[in-house]
């Protein structure tokens, strides 16, 4: 049976072989070029690929393997051999799984081109044997899910001209790059996303590559950048991409020694410091120069405008200049006008100033003009006809107002416009709404613009609209289904929010909706079943009434649900328990009632902000809330809660930590969050930082659990207006960051713990109307500017009260021996209470800002260059990246 089958199979094979050679000969090609041993190597190689039938559909064993898709042969040596294997995938849909890279490749010794990029090798290693394919000239293993150490063996590929290992999602590493010296023919080296943090001498290794034309070391965790080189080998270098690293160093001088070849310099977000050397005269070929998102200081380099000025044969080639998000000062030199080929001028978020007139902007090819967030004064006459047709207009805070800039009427194709914060007032002219059908991003926020908002439903590309902080009135308009972020906060919009429901059909993209601080009324419509992509829903500070609709529970991707300061009533719908991704739950200042549900603690483990204050909640504080270990803001004040303060609050682990400094995190769209930030500030106007614990104005009884003193990160603690008894926890002094301590109007007794004098940051506190007794600790009273913080305690004495402690009445009401360690500390430390923290407003804004940005972007920071499109913040980042890439491709 087996034999018969085998014979049959052979016959079929022979027949089809005849057929295919007949076919070949009919096409005038008599030779079957394929070398049999190489064919079996290919077949074996295919076996280690799975899920990829389509890819190999042309790999028919009976046919000439040189005709298989992705295979090429050559007879350069006199015999036919496979020389090229190109099995790159095309994105996720066709991404094949290669379980491993089969070593059958070793049986293709003449292979010179190997492309396995955009496949999924399931975190396998880059195999060492690839180093034995000694004829390789091109090796592409990018975006292929490899991990582990790059094998030194690649250094044996002395013919290699192209090496691309980028995009393996930070899983590839190298501790040394010495092996590069073997690659003396290398022209293109792409290691983007490879972790090179442990490589000591990366630049010396690169300097062994005299043929290098392109170096792509973006996002490699590099932390050293030598400023000088004794000699330079890579004098052909044209493209240098060192973006997204951690150099913490000035821009290197050796760049200027290869100025005759360099065409692209990219140091975006790589922690560069110092000033930009002003030595660009000879960079005649520079086309793209990107230093955005660094810490660069000093002035705009004047020589940029003088490139090739003395050489009549070359025109300045600079087309894209990105210097945004640095600390550059001074004005723009008029010489910039000589960069006649300029297409991108991005100077956003520096400290530059000066007047920008038409003369500065006479660039006929300009597509991207971003001057936002400096102190520029853009003074352009309203009848100017610019020589350009912009794609991106970024003129935030450019003192354009009070008139609406009429010259914009000439720009008919822009995709992005930001003229926010310009003191422009009056009604938006009608022509503006219809001017560009391509617009995707529109920001007119923080002006004095009025009028009704037009119907946006025909703006099919519009995905980000920010009209916040103006005086728009009338009802909510209609929008197209492409909206991603819709921010209309701080206007005077009236009526119901139901027009939004039209945007919430299947597959809608709306992810950020902020209608806070308007005059919207009626109930919140029960239409959220299709709002799957919403990440932020902010309806705070309106006049919404009725119950929170059940369908809110469908918004399972929500990170922030902010409904504070409305007139919502009833109990929380049980469906809210499905919102397990929430970081912010703010329902404060409503008329909500019932018990605080246990599922808030059980299901919402990510919560950082929980505000249920100023409602009508009753019952106990559920112990499950203690599971919220990430809480930074906990506010249940102003309800009718009773029972005891749970002892398990020491599970609030984040509050038990002193915040580390926040590192700089890039966020091109900070503006969006400003309104949310405002709302959060309003919700607790007195707290300078965001570590808040507030249970004031309830009916809580029992004592203050000593566990609370382990929450050493707290800056704000209020338990006032309850029925608390017992003593103030003796270790209260360990909460050293406290700036606000309110315990007034309880029934606390015993003496004030002396450790309280360790609270050096304390600026506001109140212990009035309790049963406290004994002497007010010395050292402490300096902080207690005001006797009113102590009044209403019959048995307290000492400054700032007038009661004299020498009277026996006030002696020894201490209830127990206080913590010994802390007491010793008090002795050494108690009288140094000299400085107080008064920069509250400023400190609050900065720290909260940092927090909020971190919250939404913490991971995107590291992964910004890759395709993590699942997160809202990344989408926005990538949107910009794509736009830049699109522009670059257009030029290529
Ligand atoms: C096939 O190629 C191998 C090397 O890949 C070589 O050793 C062998 O001689 C070739 N066979 C023929 C028939 O050309
Ligand atoms: C390669 O093959 C072609 C025909 O396919 C032939 O004309 C040519 O001479 C061959 N070259 C070598 C070096 O054998
Ligand atoms: C490697 O392949 C990817 C696509 O899979 C491509 O984008 C990239 O340009 C290639 N690298 C080189 C150096 O050709
Ligand atoms: C390739 O390189 C490795 C390590 O760098 C070395 O041990 C090995 O002998 C080399 N192999 C060949 C065939 O040259
Ligand atoms: C330049 O490259 C050659 C060949 O790779 C190498 O021998 C030499 O040491 C390099 N020079 C420097 C300064 O690295
Ligand atoms: C780089 O240029 C500077 C001045 O232009 C010169 O002094 C230095 O020797 C050059 N260095 C190299 C390595 O060529
Ligand atoms: C540059 O070229 C222009 C004409 O193209 C000429 O008038 C001018 O004299 C030249 N300047 C120099 C410095 O060669
Ligand atoms: C929400 O659901 C509850 C029970 O599942 C139901 O009693 C209530 O009527 C619903 N409310 C609305 C507005 O549909
Ligand atoms: C404190 O408790 C007493 C009874 O024990 C009660 O009358 C009083 O209203 C309570 N005060 C507060 C603020 O809940």
């Amino acid at each position: 049976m087996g034999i018969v089958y085998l014979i049959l199979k052979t016959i079929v094979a022979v027949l089809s072989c005849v057929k295919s050679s007949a076919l070949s000969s009919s096409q005038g090609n008599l030779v079957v070029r394929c070398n049999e041993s190489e064919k079996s190597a290919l077949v074996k190689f295919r076996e280690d690929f799975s899920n990829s039938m389509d890819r190999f559909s042309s790999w028919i064993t009976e046919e000439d393997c040189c005709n298989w898709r992705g295979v090429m042969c050559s007879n350069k040596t006199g015999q036919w051999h496979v020389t090229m294997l190109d099995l790159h995938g095309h994105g996720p849909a066709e991404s094949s799984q290669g379980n491993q890279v089969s070593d059958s490749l070793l049986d293709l010794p003449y292979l010179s081109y190997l492309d396995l990029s955009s496949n999924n090798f399931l975190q396998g290693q880059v195999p060492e044997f690839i180093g034995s394919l000694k004829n390789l000239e091109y090796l592409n293993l990018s975006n292929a899910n490899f991990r582990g150490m790059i094998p030194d063996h690649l250094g044996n590929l002395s013919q290699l001209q192209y090496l691309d290992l980028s995009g393996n999602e930070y899983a590839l590493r190298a501790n040394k790059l010495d092996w590069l010296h073997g690659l003396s023919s290398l022209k293109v080296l792409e290691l983007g996303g490879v972790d090179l943090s442990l490589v000591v001498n990366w630049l010396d290794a690169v300097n062994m590559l005299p043929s290098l034309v392109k170096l792509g070391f973006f996002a490699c965790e590099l932390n050293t950048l030598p400023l000088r080189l004794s000699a330079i080998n890579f004098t052909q270098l044209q493209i240098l991409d060192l973006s997204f690293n951690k150099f913490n160093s000035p821009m290197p001088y050796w760049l200027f020694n290869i100025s005759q070849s360099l065409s692209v310099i990219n140091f975006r977000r790589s922690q560069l410091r110092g000033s930009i050397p002003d030595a660009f005269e000879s960079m005649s070929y520079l086309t793209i120069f990107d230093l955005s998102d660094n810490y660069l200081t000093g002035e705009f380099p004047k020589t940029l405008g003088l490139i090739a000025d003395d050489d009549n044969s070359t025109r300045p080639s600079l087309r894209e200049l990105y210097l945004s998000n640095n600390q550059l000062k001074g004005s723009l030199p008029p010489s910039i006008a000589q960069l006649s080929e300029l297409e991108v001028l991005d100077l956003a978020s520096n400290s530059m100033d000066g007047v920008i007139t038409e003369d500065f902007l006479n660039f006929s090819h300009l597509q991207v003009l971003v001057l936002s967030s400096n102190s520029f004064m853009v003074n352009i006459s309203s009848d100017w006809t610019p020589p350009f047709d912009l794609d991106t207009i970024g003129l935030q805070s450019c003192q354009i107002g009070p008139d609406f800039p009429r010259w914009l009427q000439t720009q008919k194709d822009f995709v992005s416009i930001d003229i926010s914060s310009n003191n422009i007032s009056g009604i938006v002219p009608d022509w503006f709404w219809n001017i560009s059908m391509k617009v995707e991003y529109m920001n007119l926020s923080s002006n004095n613009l009025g009028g009704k908002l037009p119907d946006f439903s025909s703006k099919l590309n519009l995905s980000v609209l920010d009209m916040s902080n103006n005086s728009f009135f009338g009802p909510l308009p209609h929008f197209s289904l492409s909206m991603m972020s819709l921010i209309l906060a701080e206007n005077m919009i009236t009526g119901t929010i139901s027009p939004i429901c039209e945007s919430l059909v299947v597959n809608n993209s709306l992810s950020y909706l902020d209608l806070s601080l308007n005059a919207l009324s009626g109930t919140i419509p029960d239409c959220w079943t299709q709002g799957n992509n919403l990440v932020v829903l902010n309806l705070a500070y309106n006049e919404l009434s009725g119950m929170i609709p059940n369908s809110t529970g469908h918004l399972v991707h929500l990170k922030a649900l902010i409904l504070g300061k409305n007139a919502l009533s009833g109990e929380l719908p049980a469906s809210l328990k499905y919102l397990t991704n929430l970081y912010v739950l703010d329902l404060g200042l409503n008329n909500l009632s019932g018990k605080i549900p246990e599922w808030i603690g059980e299901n919402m483990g990510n919560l950082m902000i929980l505000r249920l204050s100023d409602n009508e909640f009753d019952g106990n504080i559920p112990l499950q809330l203690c599971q919220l270990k990430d809480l930074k803001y906990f506010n249940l004040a102003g309800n009718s809660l009773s029972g005891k303060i749970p002892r398990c609050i020491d599970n609030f682990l984040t509050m038990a930590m002193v915040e580390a400094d926040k590192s700089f995190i890039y966020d091109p769209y900070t503006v969006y969050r400003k309104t949310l930030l405002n709302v959060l500030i309003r919700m607790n106007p007195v707290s300078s930082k965001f570590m808040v614990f507030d249970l004031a104005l309830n009916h809580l009884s029992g004592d203050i659990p000593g566990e609370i003193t382990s929450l050493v990160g707290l800056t704000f603690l209020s338990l006032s207006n309850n029925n608390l008894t017992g003593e103030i926890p003796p270790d209260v002094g360990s909460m050293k960051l406290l700036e606000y301590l309110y315990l007034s109007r309880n029934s606390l007794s015993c003496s004030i713990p002396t450790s309280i004098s360790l609270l050096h940051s304390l600026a506001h506190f109140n212990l009035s109307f309790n049963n406290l007794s004994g002497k007010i600790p010395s050292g402490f009273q300096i902080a207690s500017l005001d006797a009113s913080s102590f009044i209403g305690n019959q048995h307290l004495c000492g400054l700032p009260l007038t009661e004299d402690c020498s009277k026996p009445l006030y002696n020894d009401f201490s209830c127990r021996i206080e913590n010994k360690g802390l007491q010793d500390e008090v002795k050494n430390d108690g009288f140094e209470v000299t400085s107080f923290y008064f920069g509250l407003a400023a400190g609050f804004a900065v720290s909260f800002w940092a927090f909020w940005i971190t919250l939404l972007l913490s991971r995107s920071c590291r992964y910004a260059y890759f395709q993590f499109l699942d997160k809202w913040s990344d989408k926005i980042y990538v949107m910009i990246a794509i736009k830049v890439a699109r522009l670059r491709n257009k030029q290529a």
Side-chain angles (χ1 to χ4, degrees):
M1 182 68 178
I3 290 178
V4 173
Y5 176 75
L6 215 80
I7 292 172
L8 272 176
K9 192 147 192 239
T10 312
I11 292 171
V12 170
V14 168
L15 279 178
S16 61
C17 191
V18 168
K19 184 172 146 238
S20 82
S21 50
L23 210 73
S24 306
S25 60
S26 76
Q27 288 164 352
N29 183 0
L30 284 163
V31 204
V32 172
R33 300 165 296 173
C34 186
N35 169 311
E36 280 304 320
S37 84
E38 294 182 352
K39 177 189 274 188
S40 25
L42 288 172
V43 169
K44 193 148 172 291
F45 185 77
R46 172 178 62 182
E47 282 164 8
D48 281 324
F49 261 82
S50 51
N51 306 344
S52 45
M53 287 333 210
D54 279 0
R55 178 92 61 91
F56 293 109
S57 60
S58 69
W59 286 36
I60 297 163
T61 325
E62 293 74 27
E63 289 188 2
D64 186 349
C65 69
C66 296
N67 291 332
W68 292 356
R69 184 178 156 204
V71 179
M72 263 171 64
C73 303
S74 152
N75 65 346
K76 262 210 314 244
T77 57
Q79 284 181 323
W80 286 97
H81 290 290
V82 172
T83 54
M84 177 170 168
L85 189 54
D86 179 357
L87 293 176
H88 73 271
H90 291 285
E94 209 204 319
S95 160
S96 307
Q97 289 194 351
N99 298 338
Q100 57 172 350
V101 182
S102 162
D103 63 3
S104 61
L105 285 182
L106 289 173
D107 293 328
L108 304 172
Y110 293 88
L111 204 59
S112 70
Y113 187 107
L114 179 60
D115 186 350
L116 300 177
S117 64
S118 303
N119 284 296
N120 183 359
F121 287 97
L122 304 171
Q123 313 232 326
Q125 305 262 337
V126 173
E128 293 177 357
F129 70 76
I130 287 189
S132 307
L133 297 168
K134 59 183 191 314
N135 287 311
L136 273 190
E137 292 170 11
Y138 180 98
L139 177 59
N140 195 341
L141 303 179
S142 67
N143 295 300
N145 201 10
F146 283 109
R147 72 174 297 129
M149 206 64 95
I150 298 177
D152 293 359
H153 303 69
L154 296 188
N156 293 341
L157 299 172
S158 59
Q159 307 295 313
L160 205 61
Q161 295 178 25
Y162 301 85
L163 175 59
D164 191 345
L165 301 174
S166 63
N168 283 293
E169 297 186 12
Y170 295 100
L172 275 183
R173 281 174 297 131
N175 292 346
K176 291 184 297 170
L177 290 178
D178 304 5
W179 49 272
L180 282 178
H181 79 248
L183 309 182
S184 54
S185 311
L186 206 61
K187 290 180 181 160
V188 172
L189 178 57
E190 299 273 15
L191 297 185
V194 176
D195 182 348
L196 301 179
S197 54
L198 297 179
V199 177
V200 182
N201 53 350
W202 67 270
L203 190 56
D204 289 341
V206 168
N207 204 14
M208 296 291 172
L209 304 172
S211 311
L212 203 61
V213 171
K214 178 174 185 188
L215 180 68
F217 274 16
F218 61 87
C220 288
E221 309 266 318
L222 292 171
N223 45 40
T224 58
L225 180 60
L227 294 186
R228 291 193 166 78
L229 281 173
S230 57
I232 294 183
N233 261 338
F234 49 85
T235 53
Q236 318 287 311
L237 195 68
Q238 291 175 17
I239 300 177
L240 176 65
D241 185 353
L242 293 174
S243 57
F244 295 85
N245 281 295
K246 301 176 173 169
F247 294 128
N248 195 12
S249 135
M251 222 176 122
Y253 301 114
W254 49 261
L255 279 182
F256 298 93
N257 291 69
I258 47 174
S259 58
Q260 285 305 322
S261 62
L262 274 178
S263 152
V264 176
I265 301 176
N266 188 353
F267 278 100
R268 182 177 281 247
R269 200 167 154 207
S270 53
Q271 300 187 7
L272 290 188
R273 301 183 176 280
S275 56
I276 307 174
D278 200 358
F280 289 87
E281 298 95 328
S282 55
M283 289 245 178
S284 314
Y285 298 97
L286 192 61
T287 43
I288 299 176
F289 188 43
D290 189 344
L291 298 182
S292 285
D293 306 316
N294 284 293
Y295 310 115
L296 294 164
T297 53
E299 301 216 340
F300 182 95
K302 294 190 171 52
T303 51
L304 267 180
L306 303 176
I307 290 179
D309 199 27
D310 53 0
D311 179 353
N312 228 359
S313 56
T314 43
R315 284 197 301 167
S317 52
L318 193 62
R319 294 193 302 217
E320 298 176 27
L321 177 58
Y322 305 89
L323 298 175
S324 59
N325 286 305
N326 279 292
Q327 296 151 26
L328 300 178
K329 289 199 197 37
S331 54
L332 202 57
S335 61
I336 192 170
Q338 309 199 19
L339 296 173
S340 54
E341 302 297 303
L342 210 59
E343 295 170 13
V344 175
L345 178 60
D346 181 2
L347 305 175
S349 301
N350 280 288
S351 305
M352 296 183 69
D353 53 26
V355 179
I356 306 276
T357 59
E358 294 93 326
D359 296 343
F360 283 81
L361 302 176
N362 217 353
F363 306 113
S364 46
H365 305 293
L366 201 65
Q367 294 175 35
V368 174
L369 174 64
V370 184
L371 304 175
S372 296
S373 302
N374 282 282
S375 302
F376 287 128
M377 175 165 182
V378 172
N379 190 354
I380 288 176
S381 84
S382 61
D383 48 13
W384 186 45
T385 309
F388 48 69
D389 193 5
L390 295 175
D391 169 284
T392 300
I393 302 171
L395 296 173
Q396 186 202 33
S397 306
C398 286
Q399 305 181 46
I400 290 175
D403 294 334
F404 201 90
R406 247 201 313 157
W407 64 271
L408 285 179
Q409 209 163 351
T410 60
Q411 306 297 301
K412 303 221 183 285
D413 291 315
F414 57 81
V415 171
S416 166
I417 186 164
D418 180 354
I419 50 170
S420 59
S421 302
N422 272 302
N423 270 322
I424 307 171
S425 51
I427 309 277
V428 178
D430 280 344
W431 57 258
F432 179 77
W433 299 125
N434 296 321
I435 187 166
S436 173
M437 288 314 284
K438 293 185 185 165
V439 67
E440 293 169 21
Y441 170 69
M442 184 185 285
N443 186 349
L444 304 190
S445 65
S446 299
N447 283 298
N448 301 317
L449 295 167
K452 287 188 182 171
L453 289 169
D455 187 336
F456 285 96
S457 49
S458 63
K459 291 266 184 297
L460 297 180
N461 297 322
L462 188 61
S463 63
V464 176
L465 180 67
D466 187 349
M467 296 283 162
S468 60
N469 196 9
N470 278 296
S471 304
F472 291 110
F473 54 83
L476 268 181
H478 300 278
F479 296 95
S480 82
L481 300 182
S482 55
M483 290 307 298
M484 256 170 72
S485 292
L486 177 54
I487 303 172
L488 303 178
E490 289 190 77
N491 281 291
M492 299 180 304
I493 300 170
T494 49
T496 71
I497 61 175
S498 40
I500 295 299
C501 293
E502 294 167 21
S503 301
L504 296 177
V505 299
V506 187
N507 292 333
N508 75 87
S509 50
L510 194 63
S511 64
Y512 193 119
L513 178 60
D514 184 353
L515 304 177
S516 61
L517 293 147
N518 278 292
L520 294 162
S521 56
T523 58
I524 301 178
D526 197 6
C527 69
W528 306 100
T529 47
Q530 305 286 2
N532 270 350
N533 288 311
L534 267 182
V535 174
V536 173
L537 175 58
N538 186 355
L539 305 176
Y541 289 82
N542 279 293
E543 292 153 22
L544 300 166
S545 55
M547 295 183 44
I548 297 175
N550 288 350
S551 61
T552 315
H554 283 262
L555 304 176
V556 293
H557 293 118
L558 266 194
K559 288 189 175 167
L561 177 62
I562 305 172
L563 305 176
K565 188 73 178 75
N566 278 291
L568 300 171
S569 57
E571 299 191 2
L572 301 186
S575 64
L576 289 190
K577 67 168 166 250
Y578 301 116
L579 305 185
T580 55
N581 291 309
L582 282 184
Y583 286 82
V584 180
L585 177 60
D586 174 13
L587 307 175
L589 293 156
N590 279 294
N591 306 320
L592 297 164
S593 56
K595 307 257 178 293
I596 293 179
E598 293 170 356
W599 42 254
I600 291 184
E602 287 166 347
N603 292 11
M604 300 181 177
N606 291 331
L607 273 188
M608 290 184 174
I609 294 180
L610 175 61
R611 183 173 77 147
L612 302 176
S613 57
D614 301 292
N615 278 291
E616 292 158 19
F617 291 111
D618 56 21
N620 292 342
I621 298 174
L623 296 181
Q624 286 82 353
L625 288 189
C626 294
Q627 296 175 28
L628 301 174
K629 59 182 173 27
D630 291 338
L631 274 186
K632 295 177 178 220
Y633 183 104
F634 177 61
N635 188 349
L636 308 181
N639 282 289
S640 302
L641 300 172
S642 53
K644 295 185 171 185
I645 300 175
R647 296 207 172 272
C648 58
I649 50 174
D650 55 355
N651 282 342
F652 289 169
L653 295 180
T654 302
M655 288 186 179
M657 284 186 308
V658 175
E659 280 277 288
D661 275 348
K662 294 287 187 302
S663 56
F664 170 71
I665 287 171
Y666 176 63
D667 175 17
Y669 278 59
T670 38
V671 212
Y672 293 176
R673 292 170 197 142
K674 203 170 137 206
T675 50
L676 176 59
L677 179 71
N678 285 343
V679 170
L680 291 172
I681 289 175
R682 270 161 223 249
M683 83 194 189
N684 199 351
V686 290
S687 94
S688 71
K689 292 206 185 103
F690 45 85
M691 291 285 202
V692 170
F693 189 106
D694 193 347
L695 296 176
L697 290 153
N698 278 293
H699 308 305
L700 298 169
S701 54
D703 58 2
I704 301 177
E707 284 80 356
I708 204 164
T709 63
S710 70
L711 305 182
V712 294
L714 285 183
T715 53
F716 181 104
L717 172 60
S718 175
L719 304 172
S720 56
N721 293 70
N722 278 289
N723 256 354
L724 298 169
T725 51
E727 60 181 342
I728 298 173
D731 287 353
V732 66
S734 58
M735 293 188 277
K736 290 208 171 90
L737 301 182
L738 273 186
E739 291 164 30
Y740 300 85
L741 175 61
Y742 297 126
L743 302 175
S744 59
R745 294 186 191 270
N746 279 290
S747 305
L748 298 170
S749 52
C750 306
S751 59
I752 300 173
T754 52
S755 79
I756 209 162
S757 59
L758 294 173
L759 301 179
H760 293 182
S761 299
L762 204 59
H764 304 268
F765 84 108
N766 198 338
L767 305 179
S768 63
F769 299 99
N770 278 291
N771 298 326
L772 296 166
S773 57
K775 185 171 182 293
I776 295 173
S778 57
F780 181 49
Q781 70 250 31
I782 304 169
S784 61
L785 302 167
D786 196 344
S788 66
S789 303
F790 296 99
I791 58 168
N793 289 286
Q794 276 184 29
H795 302 294
L796 270 184
C797 66
L799 288 171
L801 296 177
T802 49
E803 281 78 3
D804 179 354
C805 292
S806 60
K807 291 187 189 164
L809 175 65
Y810 300 114
N811 280 347
D812 199 27
F813 277 85
S814 152
C815 298
R816 68 155 124 124
I817 312 275
E818 289 179 19
N819 180 302
K820 182 77 172 58
L822 274 172
Q823 260 181 347
D824 289 349
E825 218 181 313
V826 171
K827 275 187 202 116
N828 299 333
D829 206 330
F831 288 94
E832 290 168 28
V833 188
T834 49
S835 67
F836 297 106
Y837 187 88
F838 283 121
L840 299 179
F844 182 23
V846 171
S847 58
F848 212 127
W849 194 266
F851 153 65
W852 179 245
I853 292 166
T854 313
L855 175 74
L856 285 172
L857 289 172
S858 51
R859 262 174 297 161
S860 70
C861 157
R862 201 168 140 81
Y863 292 123
Y865 240 56
F866 298 103
Q867 62 279 51
F868 293 76
L869 283 165
D870 55 329
K871 294 204 302 292
W872 168 78
S873 48
D874 294 317
K875 269 185 204 158
I876 289 191
Y877 184 84
V878 170
M879 217 166 84
I880 292 193
I882 288 172
K883 211 169 281 176
V884 169
R886 197 197 290 153
L887 211 68
R888 285 183 187 167
N889 288 338
K890 225 190 295 184
Q891 285 151 1

